[in-house]
Amino acid sequence: MEKLMLLGDEALAQGALDAGISGAYAYPGTPSTEIMEYIQRSKQAIEQKVHRTWSSNEKTAVESAIGMSYAGKRTIVCMKHVGLNVAADPFMNSAFTGANGGLLVVVADDPSMHSSQNEQDSRFYGKFALIPVLEPSNQQECYDMVFNGLTLSEKYHVPVLLRLTTRLSHSRAGITTRQTLPPNQLHFPEDPNQFMLLPAFARKKYKNLIALQNDFLKESATSVFNKKHESEENRRLGIIACGLAYNYLMENFAGKQIPYPILKICQYPVPVEAVTELYNSCESLLILEEGMPIVEEMVKGFSWSGTKPIKGRLDGTIPRDGELNPNIVARALGLPDKVGADIPDVVAPRPPQLCIGCPHADSYLALNEALKEYGKGHVFSDIGCYTLGFMPPYQAINSCVDMGASITMAKGAADAGLYPAVAVIGDSTFAHSGMTGLLDCVYEKANVVIVILDNSTTGMTGGQAYTAAGHLEDICIGLGVEKEHIRVFVPLKKNFDEMVQIYKEEIAYDGVSVVIPRRECVQTLKKKNKMEE
Amino acid sequence: MKKDIILAGVGGQGILTIATLIGYAALKRGWNLKQAEVHGMSQRGGDVQSHLRLSDEPIWSDLIPFGKADIILSVEPMEALRYLPYLSDEGWVITNSTPFNNIAKYPEIADIHNRVKEIKNHILIDADSIAKEVKANRSMNIVMLGAATKQLGFEPDELKEAIKTIFSKKGDVIVEANLRALEAGLQLG
């Protein structure tokens, strides 16, 4: 079999292709983006005609994947952790409908919030939905777990959640591939009502899902991904290491005998029997998790616990927030932890910022000028490169909450009497979650100015195509925005006065205005020019 | 045999290209490799780093532990200093001296250079000027790779082969420019 050097994301994508998927669905989001990008570049995907187009958002992506599963084919759907919030409705209900063709929901969490608004742990969603969860500890497991996940999904007719974290998504290592599986044939579910969640059916399905919990537990107990390392040497401490935490633990014992018994957990539900055994045979437990202390909380809740110390994020042995690293684990183990010299005082912070020549910069400078007379506090923004408009020298925006919130927050503030109330949203974010909010504004003729920054791409994640490209005005007209209050300009320094004037006119208008500054992202433009060279 | 290398710079300066070249040479030797990269928001003009781990034994962590890096290879002098907590006692700092000034208050460059010079094992070179001298303006990162070759533990030929292979798609002109940049760096390493 072939040996490849791949990012965790890419290893997962290659696994999906080799495991015979017929479609991948996704909306870009760090750290998950590279999964779909890899599939889109793959010759194998093109030859096998694997569906690989971006969806409008994570909800439409998950629903499409459920549809593909209904039709009997294998599919993966990929997103970042907060994307699963958007897709929570179909995700939770897919646990009730179950799967026909294998359905793997891949979610990449971002502990330490390198590129995110929060650091929620998707394993909670798996537990919430009562479905099996896989959490790879290395790139090879990213690849292998797609095979196991899809098999598990088809064996029990349930969706399976696969949880990645940033460091694995974006770290490269060698993986060995397996023999490729053929795609499934199109076939209906055996039970024609499997995907019918009328209450009478849903109640039965819930009982069925509960009944399956014991099977899932047995799968965890026998999983190749959950391993016990016995050690008789030292019973003072037993260690549970979940997902990537296992690597940081092993790093500290590289080339040495490990003195403590270890339980590696990479498949959930938590293998209760193995945990109980470990607890009973040791004087205390240390629980290492990349993310929130979900296993630690469960273990503390078990009826037998309370007599022996359980160390982890809850008792302060490990910081309550942020990602793990080998040094944090070393300290938790009481091992010597040597750090190099401090960062010298002379080093200044270098936060990310808008690129030189970025169209958003011109749009913000003009907006600041138009709003000068009203003071600060009037601009609601959203998720994307343009969130960097918060930084000096722009300091142009006052909020960033979730995809689409700029428009609806501006509406809510306008409802409260704030004037002017301005929303600044990217074109791809608008396609993702802005349209329904705009419809709310139109429905009530809210006094808002919606600025849709059109750089013709999903910029922050590296320039992906998006579903509403080229149709923004048509969409706004279709949603009921008055034609004369849809204003388009080219954000360039030389157009500064025109831009300010347009903003001012639309601020003055008592109703819904849409302003569209339109100029291509300098990064995608650079890429295009390079390809033409 | 193991090498833990922190590659440092500013988003867009080409540290991932350095990682790809070293990675190619390491794999040719049949070594194991792990390479953690920074994607997403930080790439927009922020500080970026890559943890590159090479070993003939299994590698566990994707991140290099603090205090364990053998080399900090940086294409920007202030960024070299940002990762000092990772450097081991006997580790090397090999850095470009030319600042990438995209922030409001960039420190006095002399202060940065002086701090680099305080590090026991360091190489501080003006890779931007050297790249220009050898008519390889866009290959400052490859000059730095050349300067680090000895400390990385590679033979020049191994990295030359990596350049020829990795850049082959971009044509002979680009390959030649990068080979000149590597050669110039080698002289200063």
Side-chain angles (χ1 to χ4, degrees):
Chain A
M1 294 288 103
E2 214 180 339
K3 184 112 178 163
L4 299 170
M5 279 303 298
L6 297 176
L7 297 176
D9 276 356
E10 296 173 342
L12 191 145
Q14 186 60 50
L17 292 171
D18 291 346
I21 58 158
S22 298
Y25 294 90
Y27 181 82
T30 312
S32 71
T33 314
E34 292 79 1
I35 302 169
M36 183 63 126
E37 287 190 318
Y38 183 88
I39 292 174
Q40 290 180 341
R41 283 197 308 268
S42 159
K43 272 190 202 140
Q44 189 182 346
I46 296 164
E47 279 162 16
Q48 293 173 6
K49 298 198 174 74
V50 173
H51 175 277
R52 55 189 183 281
T53 310
W54 294 109
S55 301
S56 285
N57 63 39
E58 294 84 357
K59 179 172 182 286
T60 66
V62 169
E63 288 157 351
S64 301
I66 297 172
M68 184 164 275
S69 172
Y70 173 92
K73 306 270 188 150
R74 292 187 153 191
T75 179
I76 61 166
V77 51
C78 317
M79 65 208 79
K80 69 182 295 173
H81 57 326
V82 286
L84 186 53
N85 297 335
V86 177
D89 199 1
F91 169 76
M92 290 300 295
N93 292 344
S94 73
F96 275 36
T97 65
N100 181 27
L103 173 57
L104 190 66
V105 180
V106 179
V107 184
D109 291 355
D110 188 18
S112 278
M113 298 174 263
H114 298 279
S115 241
S116 302
Q117 297 79 47
N118 78 22
E119 60 171 31
Q120 67 188 52
D121 187 326
S122 297
R123 293 177 300 166
F124 278 100
Y125 264 112
K127 185 169 159 28
F128 193 20
L130 298 173
I131 62 172
V133 177
L134 299 170
E135 186 189 14
S137 69
N138 59 39
Q139 291 77 356
Q140 185 65 50
E141 285 185 346
C142 288
Y143 178 85
D144 292 334
M145 279 183 174
V146 183
F147 285 77
N148 293 59
L150 289 169
T151 304
L152 203 59
S153 171
E154 288 177 353
K155 182 174 174 188
Y156 295 103
H157 299 287
V158 286
V160 171
L161 181 72
L162 195 156
R163 182 221 188 200
L164 291 166
T165 46
T166 306
R167 293 299 179 182
L168 186 52
S169 287
H170 288 166
S171 175
R172 214 173 276 285
I175 62 142
T176 309
T177 59
R178 301 187 193 180
Q179 188 145 19
T180 310
L181 301 178
N184 288 355
Q185 295 296 314
L186 198 72
H187 66 277
F188 283 116
E190 261 175 53
D191 169 10
N193 298 328
Q194 185 188 334
F195 288 77
M196 179 57 68
L197 291 186
L198 275 169
F201 291 114
R203 283 179 212 118
K204 278 186 206 150
K205 297 205 175 286
Y206 188 34
K207 283 187 199 301
N208 180 45
L209 183 62
I210 290 167
L212 282 172
Q213 296 306 302
N214 259 331
D215 296 301
F216 298 164
L217 204 54
K218 273 182 212 151
E219 292 287 348
S220 289
T222 55
S223 168
V224 292
F225 304 116
N226 293 342
K227 272 194 289 204
K228 272 185 266 184
H229 292 261
E230 296 298 345
S231 171
E232 292 306 322
E233 193 185 325
N234 195 331
R235 289 274 163 191
R236 272 190 302 118
L237 186 70
I239 304 170
I240 296 175
C242 305
L244 202 55
Y246 178 71
N247 285 358
Y248 298 141
L249 175 66
M250 297 304 281
E251 175 76 24
N252 278 291
F253 293 112
K256 292 177 217 157
Q257 200 69 22
I258 304 169
Y260 309 108
I262 295 172
L263 175 62
K264 166 183 181 267
I265 301 180
C266 288
Q267 180 169 337
Y268 305 79
V270 171
V272 179
E273 216 170 287
V275 173
T276 310
E277 229 168 72
L278 187 70
Y279 179 87
N280 286 339
S281 67
C282 298
E283 291 166 32
S284 63
L285 283 187
L286 171 65
I287 303 180
L288 303 170
E289 302 178 74
E290 181 77 321
M292 295 172 162
I294 179 169
V295 173
E296 194 180 340
E297 280 183 353
M298 283 173 71
V299 170
K300 284 200 162 175
F302 287 155
S303 56
W304 40 254
S305 79
T307 49
K308 296 177 187 175
I310 293 170
K311 296 183 223 171
R313 290 193 188 264
L314 293 173
D315 77 335
T317 301
I318 292 165
R320 186 67 173 76
D321 62 333
E323 62 182 349
L324 296 175
N325 62 40
N327 301 77
I328 291 174
V329 174
R331 288 197 287 275
L333 290 165
L335 296 172
D337 167 40
K338 200 170 172 307
V339 176
D342 290 339
I343 302 173
D345 293 336
V346 68
V347 174
R350 196 188 306 257
Q353 50 191 295
L354 293 175
C355 304
I356 295 163
C358 176
H360 302 335
D362 294 301
S363 302
Y364 275 134
L365 292 174
L367 182 62
N368 281 351
E369 179 65 24
L371 285 170
K372 217 182 199 171
E373 58 185 292
Y374 304 100
K376 292 270 176 199
H378 294 269
V379 184
F380 303 89
S381 194
D382 228 297
I383 315 286
C385 283
Y386 50 92
T387 317
L388 298 172
F390 173 77
M391 304 292 212
Y394 314 104
Q395 294 173 297
I397 61 171
N398 307 106
S399 76
C400 155
V401 178
D402 70 89
M403 296 285 281
S406 58
I407 295 179
T408 25
M409 280 181 70
K411 179 184 178 296
D415 292 344
L418 184 75
Y419 172 81
V422 179
V424 178
I425 186 168
D427 49 349
S428 180
T429 312
F430 178 72
H432 178 289
S433 282
M435 294 188 273
T436 47
L438 181 55
L439 188 59
D440 280 1
C441 295
V442 169
Y443 182 61
E444 289 189 55
K445 208 180 179 221
N447 190 8
V448 291
V449 177
I450 314 294
V451 182
I452 306 176
L453 298 171
D454 181 4
N455 61 358
S456 311
T457 192
T458 315
M460 181 99 276
T461 46
Q464 293 76 24
Y466 74 97
T467 52
H471 303 290
L472 293 178
E473 291 95 313
D474 291 344
I475 289 169
C476 294
I477 291 168
L479 289 172
V481 181
E482 296 154 287
K483 246 185 198 164
E484 56 277 26
H485 293 290
I486 299 175
R487 311 286 298 271
V488 182
F489 59 70
V490 182
L492 281 168
K493 242 189 209 97
K494 64 174 185 182
N495 298 340
F496 184 78
D497 292 341
E498 178 205 348
M499 288 149 63
V500 174
Q501 185 57 32
I502 288 174
Y503 279 135
K504 281 188 170 171
E505 284 169 19
E506 297 311 322
I507 288 166
Y509 173 63
D510 184 3
V512 180
S513 303
V514 172
V515 177
I516 307 178
R518 174 170 292 144
R519 178 156 69 83
E520 188 172 0
C521 166
V522 290
Q523 294 293 342
T524 54
L525 191 67
K526 224 190 266 174
K527 254 190 239 166
K528 251 194 232 166
N529 290 344
K530 251 190 201 168
M531 277 162 71
E532 280 166 17
E533 253 173 33
Chain B
M1 183 63 193
K2 70 134 193 131
K3 286 282 172 191
D4 283 335
I5 307 148
I6 300 270
L7 299 167
V10 181
Q13 278 194 305
I15 64 164
L16 291 184
T17 307
I18 300 179
T20 306
L21 293 166
I22 298 174
Y24 179 90
L27 286 181
K28 274 270 155 180
R29 284 187 173 189
W31 283 13
N32 296 308
L33 181 159
K34 276 198 174 181
Q35 184 205 333
E37 303 172 1
V38 173
H39 294 206
M41 191 175 247
S42 304
Q43 283 178 302
R44 301 277 165 267
D47 54 274
V48 291
Q49 100 296 117
S50 173
H51 291 227
L52 181 58
R53 312 193 74 187
L54 317 174
S55 178
D56 52 7
E57 309 228 345
I59 303 167
W60 288 103
S61 170
D62 297 84
L63 296 176
I64 298 170
F66 289 108
K68 293 279 177 70
D70 300 298
I71 299 170
I72 294 173
L73 175 52
S74 180
V75 292
E76 209 278 350
M78 185 171 78
E79 295 310 321
L81 298 176
R82 197 183 301 282
Y83 302 100
L84 284 186
Y86 285 99
L87 195 66
S88 70
D89 291 344
E90 295 304 313
W92 283 76
V93 170
I94 302 171
T95 182
N96 186 7
S97 64
T98 312
F100 186 93
N101 189 349
N102 67 339
I103 51 175
K105 281 182 192 152
Y106 194 95
E108 280 297 322
I109 189 63
D111 294 344
I112 298 271
H113 288 168
N114 287 336
R115 183 63 186 84
V116 172
K117 287 173 193 164
E118 284 173 25
I119 297 158
K120 186 169 138 200
N121 299 319
H122 73 269
I123 297 175
L124 179 67
I125 58 168
D126 183 355
D128 283 59
S129 301
I130 294 160
K132 278 178 203 140
E133 274 168 31
V134 298
K135 298 196 168 52
N137 290 14
R138 288 160 81 174
S139 302
M140 167 276 283
N141 54 344
I142 308 299
V143 173
M144 289 313 305
L145 175 62
T149 302
K150 193 173 155 201
Q151 303 310 328
L152 288 166
F154 286 102
E155 295 301 324
D157 281 348
E158 294 177 275
L159 294 176
K160 282 177 194 167
E161 190 200 329
I163 288 175
K164 284 176 197 162
T165 312
I166 303 290
F167 288 114
S168 63
K169 270 190 232 155
K170 301 190 172 183
D172 290 346
V173 176
I174 304 272
V175 170
E176 288 304 321
N178 282 298
L179 287 174
R180 285 198 302 278
L182 185 81
E183 196 61 52
L186 283 167
Q187 305 301 323
L188 298 161

